[in-house]
Amino acid sequence: MGFRFRRSARLGPLRFNFAKGGLSSISVGGRGASFNIPVNRSGGPRSTVGLPGTGLSWSVEHTPDRPTVIPAERAAGLPNSRRLRPGQLDAFKQQLLEVLRQELFAPGSAGALLWDHGSVSQLLGDGSLGARTAGLLALIETPEAMEGYLLRAQSQDDAKRRAQRCIESVQEALRFSAVRQMLG
């Protein structure tokens, strides 16, 4: 059995749990019953009830309404979610880029037309988009922008989140382009 070390700090009824990467979760409660909310880790909130001193406890993870990982139906073909060794992260990011290029920007596809006609740049230059939408579209303004954004990922989960944002960006750009053509 391996050793574990837990760092935490209390502030009133709240316990802030820290991991190597920073704040991991926030817990409320104490011996016998607690509720844990993840901040910088995967999974949903967890309720735990136990009998103090016996080592017996029961825990239930509450599934979030919105998944934090890429859903299979929208990103079929993305590499599997097994944990990567440090040297494998770059290869994983290259695989994600290849899948995005094939699925979203294949020659003749709607995504490729966005780049070929400079539609994303036109939408960004319009100035009528909100800050969030403009930031999302800027991720895929050019092939180089998308590649740079994905290659800056620091972990496997970060790379998958970034790939999902690229997918959302293409969907938003296509939606705005269609609206613009209907109005113009």
Side-chain angles (χ1 to χ4, degrees), residues 135-153:
L136 197 60
L137 294 183
L139 301 178
I140 60 156
E141 184 174 8
T142 64
E144 295 81 17
M146 183 181 79
E147 182 176 338
Y149 175 68
L150 193 60
L151 292 179
R152 285 191 302 271

Side-chain angles (χ1 to χ4, degrees), residues 85-100:
R85 294 185 194 108
Q88 295 175 316
L89 182 59
D90 291 334
F92 180 73
K93 290 189 269 189
Q94 290 298 328
Q95 284 179 310
L96 284 175
L97 268 174
E98 190 59 36
V99 169
L100 288 174

Side-chain angles (χ1 to χ4, degrees), residues 24-171:
S24 172
S25 64
I26 301 172
S27 301
V28 75
R31 292 182 56 146
S34 67
F35 183 69
N36 184 290
I37 303 166
V39 174
N40 192 16
R41 64 174 175 80
S42 61
R46 178 178 298 275
S47 297
T48 304
V49 178
L51 296 172
T54 66
L56 298 174
S57 65
W58 179 67
S59 187
V60 174
E61 184 171 339
H62 308 281
T63 57
D65 293 338
R66 203 178 69 152
T68 57
V69 296
I70 298 174
E73 69 274 4
R74 292 202 309 205
L78 285 180
N80 65 21
S81 62
R82 65 183 174 82
R83 294 289 170 214
L84 299 176
R85 294 185 194 108
Q88 295 175 316
L89 182 59
D90 291 334
F92 180 73
K93 290 189 269 189
Q94 290 298 328
Q95 284 179 310
L96 284 175
L97 268 174
E98 190 59 36
V99 169
L100 288 174
R101 286 182 187 131
Q102 288 175 357
E103 297 294 322
L104 301 176
F105 298 103
S109 70
L113 293 175
L114 287 173
W115 280 346
D116 293 344
H117 298 304
S119 299
V120 178
S121 298
Q122 291 172 5
L123 287 168
L124 289 170
D126 185 15
S128 64
L129 301 175
R132 182 194 177 283
T133 304
L136 197 60
L137 294 183
L139 301 178
I140 60 156
E141 184 174 8
T142 64
E144 295 81 17
M146 183 181 79
E147 182 176 338
Y149 175 68
L150 193 60
L151 292 179
R152 285 191 302 271
Q154 298 295 311
S155 68
Q156 179 183 3
D157 289 338
D158 186 27
K160 290 173 88 175
R161 276 191 296 274
R162 287 172 184 253
Q164 180 61 43
R165 284 191 198 113
C166 289
I167 292 168
E168 291 170 8
S169 299
V170 171
Q171 292 169 344

